[in-house]
Coordinates of all heavy atoms in Angstrom, one line a residue:
V27 N 0.7 -11.0 7.3 CA 0.6 -10.9 5.8 C -0.9 -10.7 5.5 O -1.8 -11.3 6.1 CB 1.1 -12.1 5.1 CG1 1.0 -11.9 3.6 CG2 2.6 -12.3 5.4
Y28 N -1.2 -9.8 4.6 CA -2.6 -9.5 4.2 C -2.9 -9.9 2.8 O -2.0 -9.9 1.9 CB -2.9 -8.0 4.4 CG -2.6 -7.5 5.8 CD1 -1.4 -6.9 6.1 CD2 -3.5 -7.7 6.8 CE1 -1.1 -6.4 7.4 CE2 -3.3 -7.2 8.1 CZ -2.1 -6.6 8.4 OH -1.8 -6.1 9.6
L29 N -4.1 -10.1 2.5 CA -4.6 -10.3 1.1 C -5.9 -9.5 1.0 O -6.9 -9.9 1.5 CB -4.9 -11.8 0.8 CG -5.3 -12.0 -0.7 CD1 -4.1 -11.7 -1.6 CD2 -5.7 -13.5 -0.8
Q30 N -5.8 -8.4 0.3 CA -7.0 -7.5 0.1 C -7.6 -8.0 -1.2 O -7.0 -8.1 -2.2 CB -6.6 -6.1 -0.1 CG -7.7 -5.1 -0.4 CD -8.7 -5.0 0.8 OE1 -8.3 -4.8 1.9 NE2 -10.0 -5.2 0.5
M31 N -8.9 -8.4 -1.1 CA -9.6 -9.0 -2.2 C -10.8 -8.1 -2.5 O -11.7 -7.9 -1.7 CB -10.1 -10.4 -1.9 CG -9.0 -11.4 -1.4 SD -9.6 -13.1 -1.1 CE -10.8 -12.8 0.2
N32 N -10.7 -7.6 -3.7 CA -11.8 -6.7 -4.2 C -12.5 -7.3 -5.4 O -11.9 -8.2 -6.1 CB -11.2 -5.3 -4.6 CG -10.6 -4.6 -3.4 OD1 -11.1 -4.7 -2.3 ND2 -9.5 -3.8 -3.7
S33 N -13.6 -6.8 -5.8 CA -14.3 -7.3 -7.0 C -14.4 -8.8 -7.0 O -14.2 -9.5 -8.0 CB -13.7 -6.8 -8.2 OG -13.6 -5.4 -8.3
L34 N -14.8 -9.3 -5.8 CA -14.9 -10.8 -5.7 C -15.9 -11.4 -6.6 O -16.9 -10.9 -6.9 CB -15.2 -11.2 -4.2 CG -14.0 -11.0 -3.3 CD1 -14.4 -11.0 -1.8 CD2 -13.0 -12.2 -3.5
K35 N -15.5 -12.6 -7.1 CA -16.3 -13.4 -8.0 C -16.7 -14.7 -7.3 O -15.9 -15.2 -6.5 CB -15.6 -13.6 -9.3 CG -15.1 -12.4 -10.0 CD -14.3 -12.8 -11.2 CE -13.9 -11.5 -12.0 NZ -13.1 -11.9 -13.2
P36 N -17.7 -15.4 -7.7 CA -18.1 -16.7 -7.2 C -16.9 -17.7 -7.4 O -16.7 -18.6 -6.5 CB -19.3 -17.1 -8.0 CG -20.0 -15.8 -8.3 CD -18.8 -14.9 -8.6
E37 N -16.1 -17.5 -8.4 CA -15.0 -18.4 -8.7 C -13.9 -18.3 -7.6 O -13.0 -19.1 -7.6 CB -14.4 -18.1 -10.1 CG -15.4 -18.2 -11.2 CD -16.0 -16.9 -11.5 OE1 -15.5 -16.1 -12.3 OE2 -17.1 -16.6 -10.9
D38 N -14.0 -17.2 -6.8 CA -13.0 -17.0 -5.8 C -13.3 -17.8 -4.5 O -12.5 -17.9 -3.6 CB -12.9 -15.6 -5.4 CG -12.4 -14.7 -6.5 OD1 -11.4 -15.1 -7.2 OD2 -12.9 -13.6 -6.7
T39 N -14.5 -18.5 -4.5 CA -14.9 -19.2 -3.4 C -13.9 -20.4 -3.1 O -13.7 -21.2 -4.0 CB -16.3 -19.8 -3.6 OG1 -17.2 -18.7 -3.6 CG2 -16.7 -20.7 -2.4
A40 N -13.4 -20.4 -1.9 CA -12.4 -21.5 -1.5 C -12.0 -21.2 -0.1 O -12.3 -20.2 0.5 CB -11.2 -21.4 -2.5
V41 N -11.2 -22.2 0.4 CA -10.5 -22.0 1.7 C -9.1 -21.4 1.3 O -8.4 -21.9 0.5 CB -10.3 -23.3 2.4 CG1 -9.6 -23.1 3.7 CG2 -11.7 -23.9 2.8
Y42 N -8.8 -20.3 2.0 CA -7.6 -19.6 1.7 C -6.5 -19.9 2.8 O -6.9 -19.8 4.0 CB -7.8 -18.1 1.6 CG -8.4 -17.7 0.3 CD1 -9.8 -18.1 0.0 CD2 -7.7 -17.0 -0.7 CE1 -10.3 -17.7 -1.2 CE2 -8.3 -16.7 -1.9 CZ -9.6 -17.0 -2.1 OH -10.2 -16.7 -3.3
Y43 N -5.3 -20.2 2.4 CA -4.2 -20.5 3.3 C -3.0 -19.6 3.0 O -2.8 -19.2 1.9 CB -3.8 -22.0 3.1 CG -4.8 -23.0 3.2 CD1 -5.6 -23.4 2.1 CD2 -5.0 -23.7 4.4 CE1 -6.5 -24.4 2.3 CE2 -6.0 -24.7 4.6 CZ -6.7 -25.0 3.5 OH -7.7 -26.0 3.6
C44 N -2.3 -19.3 4.1 CA -1.0 -18.7 3.9 C 0.1 -19.6 4.2 O -0.1 -20.6 5.0 CB -0.9 -17.4 4.7 SG -0.9 -17.6 6.5
K45 N 1.3 -19.4 3.6 CA 2.4 -20.4 3.8 C 3.7 -19.7 3.4 O 3.7 -18.9 2.5 CB 2.1 -21.6 2.9 CG 3.0 -22.8 3.2 CD 2.5 -23.6 4.3 CE 3.1 -25.0 4.4 NZ 4.6 -24.9 4.8
Q46 N 4.7 -20.1 4.0 CA 6.0 -19.7 3.6 C 6.3 -20.3 2.2 O 5.9 -21.4 2.0 CB 7.1 -20.1 4.6 CG 7.1 -19.4 5.9 CD 8.1 -19.9 6.8 OE1 7.8 -20.5 7.9 NE2 9.4 -19.8 6.5
V47 N 6.9 -19.5 1.3 CA 7.2 -20.0 0.0 C 8.7 -19.8 -0.4 O 9.4 -18.9 0.2 CB 6.3 -19.3 -1.0 CG1 4.8 -19.5 -0.8 CG2 6.6 -17.8 -1.1
F48 N 9.1 -20.5 -1.4 CA 10.5 -20.3 -1.9 C 10.4 -19.0 -2.8 O 9.6 -18.9 -3.7 CB 10.9 -21.5 -2.7 CG 11.2 -22.7 -2.0 CD1 10.3 -23.8 -1.9 CD2 12.4 -22.8 -1.3 CE1 10.6 -24.9 -1.2 CE2 12.7 -24.0 -0.5 CZ 11.7 -25.0 -0.5
P49 N 11.3 -18.1 -2.5 CA 11.2 -16.8 -3.3 C 11.5 -17.0 -4.8 O 11.1 -16.2 -5.5 CB 12.3 -16.0 -2.6 CG 13.2 -16.9 -1.9 CD 12.4 -18.1 -1.5
S50 N 12.2 -18.0 -5.1 CA 12.6 -18.2 -6.5 C 11.4 -18.8 -7.4 O 11.3 -18.5 -8.5 CB 13.8 -19.1 -6.7 OG 13.5 -20.4 -6.1
S51 N 10.6 -19.6 -6.7 CA 9.5 -20.3 -7.5 C 8.1 -20.0 -6.9 O 7.1 -20.3 -7.6 CB 9.7 -21.8 -7.4 OG 9.6 -22.3 -6.1
W52 N 8.0 -19.5 -5.8 CA 6.7 -19.2 -5.1 C 6.0 -20.5 -4.6 O 4.9 -20.5 -4.2 CB 5.8 -18.4 -5.9 CG 6.4 -17.1 -6.4 CD1 6.8 -16.8 -7.6 CD2 6.6 -15.9 -5.6 NE1 7.3 -15.5 -7.7 CE2 7.2 -14.9 -6.5 CE3 6.4 -15.6 -4.3 CZ2 7.5 -13.7 -6.0 CZ3 6.7 -14.3 -3.8 CH2 7.3 -13.4 -4.7
Y53 N 6.7 -21.6 -4.7 CA 6.2 -22.9 -4.3 C 6.3 -22.9 -2.8 O 7.2 -22.4 -2.1 CB 7.0 -24.0 -4.8 CG 6.7 -24.3 -6.3 CD1 5.9 -23.5 -7.1 CD2 7.3 -25.5 -6.9 CE1 5.7 -23.8 -8.4 CE2 7.0 -25.8 -8.2 CZ 6.2 -24.9 -9.0 OH 6.0 -25.2 -10.3
P54 N 5.3 -23.5 -2.1 CA 5.3 -23.6 -0.6 C 6.4 -24.4 -0.1 O 6.8 -25.4 -0.6 CB 3.9 -24.2 -0.3 CG 3.6 -25.0 -1.5 CD 4.1 -24.3 -2.7
L55 N 6.9 -24.0 1.1 CA 7.8 -24.8 1.8 C 7.1 -26.0 2.4 O 5.9 -26.1 2.5 CB 8.5 -24.0 2.9 CG 9.8 -23.2 2.5 CD1 9.4 -22.1 1.6 CD2 10.4 -22.6 3.8
G56 N 7.9 -27.0 2.8 CA 7.4 -28.1 3.4 C 6.8 -27.8 4.8 O 7.0 -26.7 5.3
G57 N 6.1 -28.7 5.4 CA 5.5 -28.5 6.7 C 4.0 -28.5 6.6 O 3.4 -28.4 5.5
S58 N 3.4 -28.5 7.7 CA 1.9 -28.5 7.8 C 1.3 -27.2 7.4 O 1.9 -26.1 7.5 CB 1.4 -28.9 9.2 OG 1.9 -27.9 10.1
W59 N 0.1 -27.2 6.9 CA -0.7 -26.1 6.6 C -1.6 -25.7 7.8 O -2.0 -26.5 8.6 CB -1.6 -26.3 5.3 CG -0.8 -26.6 4.1 CD1 -0.1 -27.7 3.8 CD2 -0.6 -25.6 3.0 NE1 0.5 -27.5 2.5 CE2 0.2 -26.3 2.1 CE3 -1.0 -24.3 2.8 CZ2 0.6 -25.7 0.9 CZ3 -0.6 -23.7 1.6 CH2 0.2 -24.4 0.7
G60 N -2.0 -24.4 7.8 CA -2.9 -24.0 8.9 C -4.3 -24.4 8.6 O -4.6 -25.2 7.7
Q61 N -5.3 -23.9 9.4 CA -6.7 -24.3 9.2 C -7.3 -23.5 8.0 O -8.4 -24.0 7.5 CB -7.4 -24.0 10.5 CG -7.9 -22.6 10.6 CD -6.9 -21.6 11.0 OE1 -5.7 -21.9 11.2 NE2 -7.2 -20.3 11.1
G62 N -6.7 -22.5 7.6 CA -7.3 -21.7 6.5 C -8.5 -20.9 6.9 O -8.9 -21.0 8.0
T63 N -8.9 -20.0 6.0 CA -10.1 -19.3 6.3 C -11.1 -19.3 5.1 O -10.6 -19.2 3.9 CB -9.8 -17.8 6.6 OG1 -11.0 -17.1 7.0 CG2 -9.1 -17.1 5.5
Q64 N -12.3 -19.6 5.3 CA -13.3 -19.8 4.2 C -13.7 -18.5 3.6 O -14.2 -17.6 4.3 CB -14.5 -20.6 4.7 CG -15.6 -20.8 3.7 CD -15.2 -21.8 2.6 OE1 -14.8 -22.9 2.9 NE2 -15.4 -21.4 1.4
V65 N -13.7 -18.4 2.3 CA -14.2 -17.3 1.6 C -15.3 -17.8 0.7 O -15.1 -18.7 -0.1 CB -13.1 -16.6 0.7 CG1 -13.8 -15.6 -0.2 CG2 -12.1 -16.0 1.6
T66 N -16.5 -17.3 0.8 CA -17.6 -17.7 0.0 C -18.2 -16.5 -0.7 O -18.6 -15.5 0.0 CB -18.7 -18.4 0.8 OG1 -18.2 -19.5 1.5 CG2 -19.9 -18.9 -0.1
V67 N -18.3 -16.5 -2.0 CA -18.8 -15.4 -2.8 C -20.1 -15.9 -3.5 O -20.1 -16.8 -4.3 CB -17.8 -14.9 -3.8 CG1 -18.3 -13.7 -4.5 CG2 -16.4 -14.6 -3.1
S68 N -21.1 -15.2 -3.2 CA -22.4 -15.5 -3.7 C -22.7 -14.6 -5.0 O -22.3 -13.5 -5.0 CB -23.5 -15.4 -2.7 OG -23.6 -14.0 -2.3
S69 N -23.5 -15.2 -5.9 CA -23.8 -14.4 -7.1 C -25.2 -13.8 -6.9 O -25.9 -14.0 -6.0 CB -23.8 -15.4 -8.3 OG -24.7 -16.4 -8.1

């Protein structure tokens, strides 16, 4: 699964995670999260 991020803003700075979600609500399923990947946007 991909997330193409354009026109990044400093407010987008965070650790990003992917997770299986419930299709009806988009809420994440139970279970552990991965390590994520750090996105840092400088101004």
Side-chain angles (χ1 to χ4, degrees):
V27 179
Y28 305 97
L29 184 67
Q30 179 65 49
M31 307 185 296
N32 299 324
S33 301
L34 283 163
K35 304 175 180 180
E37 306 91 90
D38 296 318
T39 296
V41 177
Y42 284 70
Y43 304 87
C44 64
K45 193 82 166 66
Q46 290 176 246
V47 299
F48 290 103
S50 60
S51 66
W52 305 105
Y53 285 7
L55 272 66
S58 61
W59 296 76
Q61 84 285 356
T63 185
Q64 176 72 51
V65 172
T66 303
V67 184
S68 62
S69 60

